[in-house]
mmCIF file of all heavy atoms in Angstrom:
data_model
loop_
_atom_site.group_PDB
_atom_site.id
_atom_site.type_symbol
_atom_site.label_atom_id
_atom_site.label_comp_id
_atom_site.label_asym_id
_atom_site.label_seq_id
_atom_site.Cartn_x
_atom_site.Cartn_y
_atom_site.Cartn_z
ATOM 1 N N TRP R 162 13.743 -66.361 -7.474
ATOM 2 C CA TRP R 162 14.552 -65.456 -8.404
ATOM 3 C C TRP R 162 13.814 -64.541 -9.164
ATOM 4 O O TRP R 162 14.279 -63.325 -9.196
ATOM 5 C CB TRP R 162 15.401 -66.365 -9.321
ATOM 6 C CG TRP R 162 16.545 -67.152 -8.587
ATOM 7 C CD1 TRP R 162 16.490 -68.300 -7.965
ATOM 8 C CD2 TRP R 162 17.797 -66.570 -8.199
ATOM 9 N NE1 TRP R 162 17.576 -68.687 -7.282
ATOM 10 C CE2 TRP R 162 18.448 -67.577 -7.502
ATOM 11 C CE3 TRP R 162 18.495 -65.361 -8.453
ATOM 12 C CZ2 TRP R 162 19.792 -67.398 -6.954
ATOM 13 C CZ3 TRP R 162 19.779 -65.233 -8.012
ATOM 14 C CH2 TRP R 162 20.398 -66.233 -7.077
ATOM 15 N N LYS R 165 13.102 -61.101 -7.572
ATOM 16 C CA LYS R 165 14.147 -60.151 -7.318
ATOM 17 C C LYS R 165 14.152 -59.042 -8.292
ATOM 18 O O LYS R 165 14.858 -57.976 -8.168
ATOM 19 C CB LYS R 165 15.473 -60.843 -7.330
ATOM 20 C CG LYS R 165 15.747 -61.804 -6.237
ATOM 21 C CD LYS R 165 17.155 -62.567 -6.456
ATOM 22 C CE LYS R 165 17.454 -63.402 -5.269
ATOM 23 N NZ LYS R 165 18.819 -63.703 -5.071
ATOM 24 N N TYR R 166 13.509 -59.303 -9.484
ATOM 25 C CA TYR R 166 13.691 -58.335 -10.512
ATOM 26 C C TYR R 166 12.335 -57.595 -10.765
ATOM 27 O O TYR R 166 11.252 -58.046 -10.414
ATOM 28 C CB TYR R 166 14.029 -59.116 -11.875
ATOM 29 C CG TYR R 166 15.184 -59.894 -11.586
ATOM 30 C CD1 TYR R 166 15.162 -61.357 -11.444
ATOM 31 C CD2 TYR R 166 16.570 -59.452 -11.453
ATOM 32 C CE1 TYR R 166 16.118 -62.150 -11.155
ATOM 33 C CE2 TYR R 166 17.596 -60.287 -11.207
ATOM 34 C CZ TYR R 166 17.454 -61.643 -11.048
ATOM 35 O OH TYR R 166 18.511 -62.395 -10.699
ATOM 36 N N ARG R 170 10.390 -58.017 -16.007
ATOM 37 C CA ARG R 170 11.864 -58.352 -16.292
ATOM 38 C C ARG R 170 12.102 -59.842 -15.733
ATOM 39 O O ARG R 170 13.234 -60.094 -15.308
ATOM 40 C CB ARG R 170 12.702 -57.390 -15.591
ATOM 41 C CG ARG R 170 12.657 -55.901 -16.231
ATOM 42 C CD ARG R 170 13.246 -55.894 -17.457
ATOM 43 N NE ARG R 170 13.247 -54.509 -18.057
ATOM 44 C CZ ARG R 170 13.777 -54.215 -19.069
ATOM 45 N NH1 ARG R 170 14.576 -55.089 -19.784
ATOM 46 N NH2 ARG R 170 13.786 -52.973 -19.577
ATOM 47 N N SER R 173 15.418 -61.951 -16.355
ATOM 48 C CA SER R 173 16.431 -61.945 -15.687
ATOM 49 C C SER R 173 16.851 -63.057 -14.771
ATOM 50 O O SER R 173 17.868 -63.445 -14.479
ATOM 51 C CB SER R 173 16.521 -60.704 -14.643
ATOM 52 O OG SER R 173 16.749 -59.499 -15.340
ATOM 53 N N MET R 176 19.059 -67.381 -16.155
ATOM 54 C CA MET R 176 20.213 -68.107 -15.758
ATOM 55 C C MET R 176 20.033 -68.984 -14.689
ATOM 56 O O MET R 176 20.427 -70.193 -14.656
ATOM 57 C CB MET R 176 21.445 -67.219 -15.495
ATOM 58 C CG MET R 176 21.788 -66.407 -16.776
ATOM 59 S SD MET R 176 22.756 -64.871 -16.461
ATOM 60 C CE MET R 176 24.286 -65.647 -15.983
ATOM 61 N N GLN R 177 19.428 -68.587 -13.585
ATOM 62 C CA GLN R 177 19.093 -69.401 -12.469
ATOM 63 C C GLN R 177 18.108 -70.511 -12.781
ATOM 64 O O GLN R 177 18.196 -71.648 -12.334
ATOM 65 C CB GLN R 177 18.686 -68.630 -11.208
ATOM 66 C CG GLN R 177 19.928 -68.088 -10.462
ATOM 67 C CD GLN R 177 20.894 -69.157 -10.128
ATOM 68 O OE1 GLN R 177 20.520 -70.181 -9.474
ATOM 69 N NE2 GLN R 177 22.096 -68.988 -10.571
ATOM 70 N N PHE R 215 25.703 -70.070 -24.269
ATOM 71 C CA PHE R 215 26.738 -69.005 -24.039
ATOM 72 C C PHE R 215 27.561 -69.345 -22.702
ATOM 73 O O PHE R 215 28.809 -69.193 -22.848
ATOM 74 C CB PHE R 215 26.124 -67.640 -23.936
ATOM 75 C CG PHE R 215 27.021 -66.469 -23.897
ATOM 76 C CD1 PHE R 215 27.713 -66.008 -25.093
ATOM 77 C CD2 PHE R 215 27.529 -65.974 -22.685
ATOM 78 C CE1 PHE R 215 28.599 -64.979 -24.984
ATOM 79 C CE2 PHE R 215 28.392 -64.984 -22.541
ATOM 80 C CZ PHE R 215 28.931 -64.403 -23.765
ATOM 81 N N TYR R 216 26.958 -69.689 -21.704
ATOM 82 C CA TYR R 216 27.613 -69.815 -20.428
ATOM 83 C C TYR R 216 28.177 -71.221 -20.289
ATOM 84 O O TYR R 216 27.629 -72.282 -20.621
ATOM 85 C CB TYR R 216 26.676 -69.434 -19.207
ATOM 86 C CG TYR R 216 26.318 -67.904 -19.418
ATOM 87 C CD1 TYR R 216 25.013 -67.566 -20.083
ATOM 88 C CD2 TYR R 216 27.112 -67.031 -18.714
ATOM 89 C CE1 TYR R 216 24.718 -66.265 -20.133
ATOM 90 C CE2 TYR R 216 26.625 -65.655 -18.875
ATOM 91 C CZ TYR R 216 25.472 -65.286 -19.569
ATOM 92 O OH TYR R 216 25.126 -64.017 -19.668
ATOM 93 N N GLU R 217 29.317 -71.281 -19.505
ATOM 94 C CA GLU R 217 30.031 -72.602 -19.410
ATOM 95 C C GLU R 217 29.325 -73.609 -18.487
ATOM 96 O O GLU R 217 29.540 -74.724 -18.735
ATOM 97 C CB GLU R 217 31.326 -72.185 -18.562
ATOM 98 C CG GLU R 217 32.390 -71.563 -19.342
ATOM 99 C CD GLU R 217 33.118 -72.598 -20.240
ATOM 100 O OE1 GLU R 217 33.482 -73.667 -19.711
ATOM 101 O OE2 GLU R 217 33.297 -72.304 -21.368
ATOM 102 N N ASN R 218 28.561 -73.082 -17.555
ATOM 103 C CA ASN R 218 28.042 -74.028 -16.555
ATOM 104 C C ASN R 218 26.910 -74.838 -16.937
ATOM 105 O O ASN R 218 26.231 -75.656 -16.109
ATOM 106 C CB ASN R 218 27.703 -73.234 -15.224
ATOM 107 C CG ASN R 218 29.018 -72.549 -14.686
ATOM 108 O OD1 ASN R 218 30.099 -72.807 -15.227
ATOM 109 N ND2 ASN R 218 28.967 -71.889 -13.644
ATOM 110 N N HIS R 233 43.060 -75.139 -14.835
ATOM 111 C CA HIS R 233 44.302 -75.389 -15.508
ATOM 112 C C HIS R 233 44.937 -74.027 -15.771
ATOM 113 O O HIS R 233 45.897 -73.975 -16.530
ATOM 114 C CB HIS R 233 44.224 -76.268 -16.640
ATOM 115 C CG HIS R 233 43.647 -75.675 -17.868
ATOM 116 N ND1 HIS R 233 44.140 -76.077 -19.079
ATOM 117 C CD2 HIS R 233 42.730 -74.836 -18.041
ATOM 118 C CE1 HIS R 233 43.387 -75.368 -20.012
ATOM 119 N NE2 HIS R 233 42.505 -74.587 -19.394
ATOM 120 N N ASN R 234 44.375 -73.009 -15.241
ATOM 121 C CA ASN R 234 44.939 -71.617 -15.631
ATOM 122 C C ASN R 234 46.250 -71.264 -14.811
ATOM 123 O O ASN R 234 46.706 -72.114 -14.055
ATOM 124 C CB ASN R 234 43.877 -70.538 -15.457
ATOM 125 C CG ASN R 234 44.132 -69.472 -16.452
ATOM 126 O OD1 ASN R 234 45.119 -68.783 -16.398
ATOM 127 N ND2 ASN R 234 43.167 -69.248 -17.269
ATOM 128 N N SER R 236 47.921 -69.581 -12.443
ATOM 129 C CA SER R 236 48.438 -69.744 -10.960
ATOM 130 C C SER R 236 48.373 -71.180 -10.617
ATOM 131 O O SER R 236 49.132 -71.673 -9.854
ATOM 132 C CB SER R 236 47.565 -68.920 -10.054
ATOM 133 O OG SER R 236 47.682 -67.565 -10.467
ATOM 134 N N ASN R 240 51.723 -74.159 -10.114
ATOM 135 C CA ASN R 240 51.703 -75.023 -8.870
ATOM 136 C C ASN R 240 51.371 -76.532 -9.184
ATOM 137 O O ASN R 240 50.934 -77.228 -8.299
ATOM 138 C CB ASN R 240 50.927 -74.422 -7.727
ATOM 139 C CG ASN R 240 51.686 -73.315 -7.110
ATOM 140 O OD1 ASN R 240 52.922 -73.485 -6.564
ATOM 141 N ND2 ASN R 240 51.079 -72.103 -7.209
ATOM 142 N N ASP R 243 48.658 -79.423 -14.067
ATOM 143 C CA ASP R 243 48.736 -80.298 -15.133
ATOM 144 C C ASP R 243 49.091 -81.861 -14.629
ATOM 145 O O ASP R 243 48.445 -82.684 -15.127
ATOM 146 C CB ASP R 243 49.841 -79.940 -16.103
ATOM 147 C CG ASP R 243 49.451 -78.596 -16.972
ATOM 148 O OD1 ASP R 243 48.332 -78.196 -16.551
ATOM 149 O OD2 ASP R 243 50.186 -78.238 -17.740
ATOM 150 N N GLU R 272 38.729 -72.937 -16.800
ATOM 151 C CA GLU R 272 39.548 -71.781 -16.701
ATOM 152 C C GLU R 272 39.339 -71.259 -15.264
ATOM 153 O O GLU R 272 38.476 -71.781 -14.541
ATOM 154 C CB GLU R 272 39.115 -70.695 -17.708
ATOM 155 C CG GLU R 272 39.304 -71.073 -19.204
ATOM 156 C CD GLU R 272 40.780 -71.353 -19.504
ATOM 157 O OE1 GLU R 272 41.683 -71.062 -18.726
ATOM 158 O OE2 GLU R 272 41.003 -72.044 -20.513
ATOM 159 N N CYS R 273 40.116 -70.225 -14.943
ATOM 160 C CA CYS R 273 40.256 -69.727 -13.512
ATOM 161 C C CYS R 273 38.903 -69.639 -12.813
ATOM 162 O O CYS R 273 37.940 -69.046 -13.166
ATOM 163 C CB CYS R 273 40.859 -68.283 -13.576
ATOM 164 S SG CYS R 273 41.179 -67.707 -11.943
ATOM 165 N N LEU R 274 38.917 -70.315 -11.603
ATOM 166 C CA LEU R 274 37.804 -70.361 -10.753
ATOM 167 C C LEU R 274 37.867 -69.341 -9.595
ATOM 168 O O LEU R 274 37.110 -69.223 -8.701
ATOM 169 C CB LEU R 274 37.701 -71.760 -10.130
ATOM 170 C CG LEU R 274 37.166 -72.845 -11.122
ATOM 171 C CD1 LEU R 274 37.263 -74.200 -10.482
ATOM 172 C CD2 LEU R 274 35.666 -72.558 -11.695
ATOM 173 N N GLY R 275 38.949 -68.505 -9.685
ATOM 174 C CA GLY R 275 39.029 -67.395 -8.624
ATOM 175 C C GLY R 275 39.365 -67.916 -7.274
ATOM 176 O O GLY R 275 38.924 -67.346 -6.364
ATOM 177 N N CYS R 277 42.930 -68.691 -6.661
ATOM 178 C CA CYS R 277 44.222 -68.824 -7.179
ATOM 179 C C CYS R 277 45.277 -68.977 -6.002
ATOM 180 O O CYS R 277 46.250 -69.685 -6.129
ATOM 181 C CB CYS R 277 44.722 -67.536 -7.958
ATOM 182 S SG CYS R 277 43.416 -67.125 -9.084
ATOM 183 N N ASP R 287 29.078 -77.711 -5.128
ATOM 184 C CA ASP R 287 29.241 -76.272 -4.710
ATOM 185 C C ASP R 287 30.565 -75.982 -4.055
ATOM 186 O O ASP R 287 30.920 -74.910 -3.657
ATOM 187 C CB ASP R 287 28.127 -76.042 -3.667
ATOM 188 C CG ASP R 287 26.781 -75.825 -4.283
ATOM 189 O OD1 ASP R 287 26.690 -75.884 -5.436
ATOM 190 O OD2 ASP R 287 25.831 -75.634 -3.532
ATOM 191 N N TYR R 289 34.759 -75.938 -3.272
ATOM 192 C CA TYR R 289 36.041 -75.781 -3.728
ATOM 193 C C TYR R 289 37.007 -76.604 -2.963
ATOM 194 O O TYR R 289 36.880 -76.699 -1.727
ATOM 195 C CB TYR R 289 36.513 -74.368 -3.627
ATOM 196 C CG TYR R 289 36.094 -73.446 -4.733
ATOM 197 C CD1 TYR R 289 35.056 -73.801 -5.688
ATOM 198 C CD2 TYR R 289 36.697 -72.231 -4.994
ATOM 199 C CE1 TYR R 289 34.743 -72.926 -6.634
ATOM 200 C CE2 TYR R 289 36.365 -71.315 -5.944
ATOM 201 C CZ TYR R 289 35.392 -71.698 -6.859
ATOM 202 O OH TYR R 289 34.975 -70.846 -7.831
ATOM 203 N N GLU R 291 41.051 -76.938 -2.269
ATOM 204 C CA GLU R 291 42.222 -76.227 -2.640
ATOM 205 C C GLU R 291 43.552 -76.831 -2.134
ATOM 206 O O GLU R 291 43.467 -77.921 -1.357
ATOM 207 C CB GLU R 291 42.144 -74.728 -1.948
ATOM 208 C CG GLU R 291 40.903 -74.029 -2.500
ATOM 209 C CD GLU R 291 40.723 -72.731 -1.825
ATOM 210 O OE1 GLU R 291 41.621 -71.828 -1.758
ATOM 211 O OE2 GLU R 291 39.556 -72.440 -1.445
ATOM 212 N N GLY S 180 44.594 -65.340 -11.594
ATOM 213 C CA GLY S 180 45.463 -64.792 -10.602
ATOM 214 C C GLY S 180 44.763 -63.894 -9.474
ATOM 215 O O GLY S 180 45.359 -63.524 -8.612
ATOM 216 N N CYS S 182 41.869 -63.302 -6.663
ATOM 217 C CA CYS S 182 40.917 -63.945 -5.795
ATOM 218 C C CYS S 182 40.565 -63.361 -4.464
ATOM 219 O O CYS S 182 40.325 -63.991 -3.390
ATOM 220 C CB CYS S 182 41.279 -65.439 -5.541
ATOM 221 S SG CYS S 182 42.908 -65.697 -4.791
ATOM 222 N N ARG S 185 36.659 -62.679 -3.568
ATOM 223 C CA ARG S 185 36.082 -63.930 -2.975
ATOM 224 C C ARG S 185 36.290 -63.865 -1.506
ATOM 225 O O ARG S 185 35.309 -64.183 -0.710
ATOM 226 C CB ARG S 185 36.822 -65.145 -3.599
ATOM 227 C CG ARG S 185 36.376 -66.457 -2.870
ATOM 228 C CD ARG S 185 37.100 -67.622 -3.523
ATOM 229 N NE ARG S 185 36.875 -68.872 -2.886
ATOM 230 C CZ ARG S 185 37.786 -69.691 -2.361
ATOM 231 N NH1 ARG S 185 38.987 -69.345 -2.380
ATOM 232 N NH2 ARG S 185 37.398 -70.795 -1.775
ATOM 233 N N TYR S 212 21.966 -54.715 -7.024
ATOM 234 C CA TYR S 212 22.250 -56.133 -7.345
ATOM 235 C C TYR S 212 23.709 -56.430 -7.150
ATOM 236 O O TYR S 212 24.466 -55.640 -7.533
ATOM 237 C CB TYR S 212 21.856 -56.480 -8.822
ATOM 238 C CG TYR S 212 20.331 -56.449 -9.040
ATOM 239 C CD1 TYR S 212 19.741 -55.280 -9.626
ATOM 240 C CD2 TYR S 212 19.509 -57.360 -8.653
ATOM 241 C CE1 TYR S 212 18.354 -55.171 -9.843
ATOM 242 C CE2 TYR S 212 18.168 -57.436 -8.843
ATOM 243 C CZ TYR S 212 17.590 -56.263 -9.479
ATOM 244 O OH TYR S 212 16.275 -56.196 -9.637
ATOM 245 N N ARG S 216 29.836 -64.373 -9.426
ATOM 246 C CA ARG S 216 30.018 -65.459 -10.340
ATOM 247 C C ARG S 216 29.356 -66.696 -9.919
ATOM 248 O O ARG S 216 29.419 -67.146 -8.704
ATOM 249 C CB ARG S 216 31.533 -65.638 -10.753
ATOM 250 C CG ARG S 216 32.435 -66.198 -9.544
ATOM 251 C CD ARG S 216 33.830 -66.362 -10.152
ATOM 252 N NE ARG S 216 33.869 -67.426 -11.074
ATOM 253 C CZ ARG S 216 35.032 -67.809 -11.772
ATOM 254 N NH1 ARG S 216 36.099 -67.212 -11.559
ATOM 255 N NH2 ARG S 216 35.036 -68.737 -12.575
ATOM 256 N N GLU S 218 30.262 -69.759 -9.816
ATOM 257 C CA GLU S 218 30.910 -70.854 -9.224
ATOM 258 C C GLU S 218 31.182 -70.525 -7.744
ATOM 259 O O GLU S 218 31.541 -71.394 -6.918
ATOM 260 C CB GLU S 218 32.399 -70.947 -9.789
ATOM 261 C CG GLU S 218 32.259 -71.457 -11.226
ATOM 262 C CD GLU S 218 32.062 -70.438 -12.340
ATOM 263 O OE1 GLU S 218 31.908 -69.199 -11.854
ATOM 264 O OE2 GLU S 218 31.886 -70.703 -13.495
ATOM 265 N N TYR S 224 26.493 -67.965 -0.516
ATOM 266 C CA TYR S 224 25.695 -68.284 0.747
ATOM 267 C C TYR S 224 26.063 -67.334 1.826
ATOM 268 O O TYR S 224 25.116 -66.866 2.594
ATOM 269 C CB TYR S 224 25.979 -69.740 1.189
ATOM 270 C CG TYR S 224 25.439 -70.811 0.235
ATOM 271 C CD1 TYR S 224 26.258 -71.783 -0.303
ATOM 272 C CD2 TYR S 224 24.098 -70.678 -0.147
ATOM 273 C CE1 TYR S 224 25.718 -72.748 -1.087
ATOM 274 C CE2 TYR S 224 23.551 -71.599 -1.042
ATOM 275 C CZ TYR S 224 24.402 -72.666 -1.521
ATOM 276 O OH TYR S 224 23.834 -73.502 -2.481
ATOM 277 N N THR S 254 21.045 -60.551 -4.595
ATOM 278 C CA THR S 254 22.125 -61.134 -5.342
ATOM 279 C C THR S 254 21.715 -61.704 -6.674
ATOM 280 O O THR S 254 20.578 -62.236 -6.840
ATOM 281 C CB THR S 254 22.877 -62.283 -4.597
ATOM 282 O OG1 THR S 254 21.727 -63.137 -4.115
ATOM 283 C CG2 THR S 254 23.754 -61.863 -3.574
ATOM 284 N N HIS S 255 22.580 -61.807 -7.698
ATOM 285 C CA HIS S 255 22.342 -62.458 -8.872
ATOM 286 C C HIS S 255 23.446 -63.357 -9.084
ATOM 287 O O HIS S 255 24.647 -62.987 -8.798
ATOM 288 C CB HIS S 255 22.348 -61.417 -10.015
ATOM 289 C CG HIS S 255 22.102 -61.979 -11.360
ATOM 290 N ND1 HIS S 255 20.806 -62.035 -11.988
ATOM 291 C CD2 HIS S 255 22.894 -62.627 -12.303
ATOM 292 C CE1 HIS S 255 20.857 -62.578 -13.216
ATOM 293 N NE2 HIS S 255 22.156 -62.910 -13.396
ATOM 294 N N LEU S 256 23.195 -64.632 -9.594
ATOM 295 C CA LEU S 256 24.459 -65.542 -9.941
ATOM 296 C C LEU S 256 24.695 -65.675 -11.248
ATOM 297 O O LEU S 256 23.753 -65.828 -12.066
ATOM 298 C CB LEU S 256 23.952 -66.878 -9.229
ATOM 299 C CG LEU S 256 24.344 -67.194 -7.752
ATOM 300 C CD1 LEU S 256 23.792 -68.550 -7.325
ATOM 301 C CD2 LEU S 256 25.791 -67.136 -7.528
ATOM 302 N N ALA S 258 26.846 -67.653 -14.479
ATOM 303 C CA ALA S 258 26.762 -69.115 -14.936
ATOM 304 C C ALA S 258 28.024 -69.431 -15.674
ATOM 305 O O ALA S 258 27.985 -70.365 -16.559
ATOM 306 C CB ALA S 258 25.439 -69.488 -15.798
ATOM 307 N N GLY S 259 29.141 -68.751 -15.420
ATOM 308 C CA GLY S 259 30.279 -69.065 -16.090
ATOM 309 C C GLY S 259 30.682 -68.318 -17.377
ATOM 310 O O GLY S 259 30.396 -68.809 -18.435
ATOM 311 N N SER S 272 23.974 -59.585 -18.883
ATOM 312 C CA SER S 272 23.739 -60.953 -18.262
ATOM 313 C C SER S 272 22.650 -60.828 -17.135
ATOM 314 O O SER S 272 21.861 -61.714 -17.004
ATOM 315 C CB SER S 272 25.053 -61.410 -17.674
ATOM 316 O OG SER S 272 25.015 -62.630 -17.129
ATOM 317 N N LEU S 273 22.761 -59.687 -16.482
ATOM 318 C CA LEU S 273 21.784 -59.410 -15.347
ATOM 319 C C LEU S 273 20.315 -59.277 -15.935
ATOM 320 O O LEU S 273 19.303 -59.465 -15.321
ATOM 321 C CB LEU S 273 22.249 -58.163 -14.673
ATOM 322 C CG LEU S 273 21.727 -57.762 -13.323
ATOM 323 C CD1 LEU S 273 21.606 -58.912 -12.347
ATOM 324 C CD2 LEU S 273 22.508 -56.698 -12.708
ATOM 325 N N LYS S 276 20.532 -62.191 -20.615
ATOM 326 C CA LYS S 276 20.955 -62.428 -22.017
ATOM 327 C C LYS S 276 22.403 -62.875 -22.162
ATOM 328 O O LYS S 276 23.042 -62.979 -21.015
ATOM 329 C CB LYS S 276 20.950 -61.076 -22.767
ATOM 330 C CG LYS S 276 19.672 -60.406 -22.768
ATOM 331 C CD LYS S 276 19.695 -58.986 -23.383
ATOM 332 C CE LYS S 276 18.486 -58.156 -23.133
ATOM 333 N NZ LYS S 276 18.673 -56.734 -23.128
ATOM 334 N N GLY S 278 26.223 -62.648 -22.325
ATOM 335 C CA GLY S 278 27.101 -61.624 -21.708
ATOM 336 C C GLY S 278 27.899 -60.953 -22.838
ATOM 337 O O GLY S 278 29.142 -61.244 -22.858
ATOM 338 N N PHE S 293 18.378 -52.500 -17.323
ATOM 339 C CA PHE S 293 17.002 -52.254 -17.731
ATOM 340 C C PHE S 293 16.918 -50.752 -18.335
ATOM 341 O O PHE S 293 15.781 -50.295 -18.276
ATOM 342 C CB PHE S 293 15.965 -52.444 -16.555
ATOM 343 C CG PHE S 293 16.196 -53.794 -15.786
ATOM 344 C CD1 PHE S 293 16.275 -53.752 -14.377
ATOM 345 C CD2 PHE S 293 16.187 -54.982 -16.403
ATOM 346 C CE1 PHE S 293 16.393 -54.897 -13.698
ATOM 347 C CE2 PHE S 293 16.408 -56.084 -15.786
ATOM 348 C CZ PHE S 293 16.514 -56.156 -14.400
ATOM 349 N N THR S 336 50.313 -65.019 -6.133
ATOM 350 C CA THR S 336 50.337 -66.466 -6.420
ATOM 351 C C THR S 336 51.445 -66.932 -7.326
ATOM 352 O O THR S 336 52.251 -66.052 -7.811
ATOM 353 C CB THR S 336 49.037 -66.839 -7.222
ATOM 354 O OG1 THR S 336 49.088 -66.203 -8.518
ATOM 355 C CG2 THR S 336 47.759 -66.350 -6.596
ATOM 356 N N GLY S 337 51.468 -68.174 -7.679
ATOM 357 C CA GLY S 337 52.571 -68.606 -8.459
ATOM 358 C C GLY S 337 53.750 -69.251 -7.722
ATOM 359 O O GLY S 337 53.418 -70.010 -6.716
ATOM 360 N N LYS S 364 59.980 -70.055 -3.862
ATOM 361 C CA LYS S 364 60.149 -71.432 -3.551
ATOM 362 C C LYS S 364 61.629 -71.674 -3.374
ATOM 363 O O LYS S 364 62.429 -71.155 -4.137
ATOM 364 C CB LYS S 364 59.504 -72.321 -4.449
ATOM 365 C CG LYS S 364 57.962 -72.285 -4.369
ATOM 366 C CD LYS S 364 57.401 -73.301 -5.483
ATOM 367 C CE LYS S 364 55.859 -73.155 -5.445
ATOM 368 N NZ LYS S 364 55.282 -73.904 -6.597
ATOM 369 N N LYS S 420 55.032 -72.035 -22.782
ATOM 370 C CA LYS S 420 53.883 -72.830 -22.264
ATOM 371 C C LYS S 420 52.907 -71.899 -21.498
ATOM 372 O O LYS S 420 51.720 -72.028 -21.612
ATOM 373 C CB LYS S 420 54.322 -73.944 -21.274
ATOM 374 C CG LYS S 420 53.229 -74.875 -20.932
ATOM 375 C CD LYS S 420 53.849 -75.956 -19.833
ATOM 376 C CE LYS S 420 52.625 -76.498 -19.083
ATOM 377 N NZ LYS S 420 53.052 -77.463 -18.193
ATOM 378 N N ARG S 424 49.009 -71.104 -22.380
ATOM 379 C CA ARG S 424 47.897 -71.223 -21.524
ATOM 380 C C ARG S 424 46.999 -69.990 -21.298
ATOM 381 O O ARG S 424 45.797 -70.111 -21.401
ATOM 382 C CB ARG S 424 48.432 -71.607 -20.155
ATOM 383 C CG ARG S 424 47.404 -72.190 -19.198
ATOM 384 C CD ARG S 424 46.778 -73.626 -19.678
ATOM 385 N NE ARG S 424 47.640 -74.559 -20.003
ATOM 386 C CZ ARG S 424 48.103 -75.615 -19.270
ATOM 387 N NH1 ARG S 424 47.742 -75.625 -18.099
ATOM 388 N NH2 ARG S 424 48.955 -76.520 -19.750
ATOM 389 N N HIS S 427 44.992 -69.516 -24.559
ATOM 390 C CA HIS S 427 43.914 -70.484 -24.555
ATOM 391 C C HIS S 427 42.722 -69.860 -23.832
ATOM 392 O O HIS S 427 41.497 -69.931 -24.146
ATOM 393 C CB HIS S 427 44.172 -71.821 -23.941
ATOM 394 C CG HIS S 427 42.995 -72.749 -23.972
ATOM 395 N ND1 HIS S 427 42.158 -72.820 -22.959
ATOM 396 C CD2 HIS S 427 42.555 -73.585 -24.914
ATOM 397 C CE1 HIS S 427 41.152 -73.711 -23.188
ATOM 398 N NE2 HIS S 427 41.437 -74.225 -24.345
ATOM 399 N N PHE S 428 42.997 -69.185 -22.633
ATOM 400 C CA PHE S 428 42.052 -68.656 -21.890
ATOM 401 C C PHE S 428 41.161 -67.514 -22.581
ATOM 402 O O PHE S 428 40.023 -67.539 -22.654
ATOM 403 C CB PHE S 428 42.603 -67.965 -20.584
ATOM 404 C CG PHE S 428 41.760 -67.079 -19.730
ATOM 405 C CD1 PHE S 428 40.728 -67.647 -18.954
ATOM 406 C CD2 PHE S 428 41.906 -65.790 -19.754
ATOM 407 C CE1 PHE S 428 39.941 -66.901 -18.136
ATOM 408 C CE2 PHE S 428 41.093 -64.907 -19.019
ATOM 409 C CZ PHE S 428 40.100 -65.468 -18.193
#
Side-chain angles (χ1 to χ4, degrees):
Chain R
W162 286 92
K165 296 180 175 199
Y166 311 101
R170 295 288 181 174
S173 280
M176 291 164 76
Q177 273 312 298
F215 184 84
Y216 296 93
E217 281 285 315
N218 300 355
H233 75 143
N234 212 299
S236 301
N240 281 301
D243 287 4
E272 298 301 346
C273 187
L274 289 171
C277 317
D287 285 357
Y289 275 18
E291 299 175 49
Chain S
C182 59
R185 174 177 176 239
Y212 291 98
R216 68 176 291 178
E218 295 80 3
Y224 292 128
T254 43
H255 180 98
L256 271 176
S272 183
L273 199 39
K276 302 171 192 158
F293 307 129
T336 67
K364 288 181 186 170
K420 185 183 167 187
R424 196 59 56 94
H427 180 272
F428 171 72

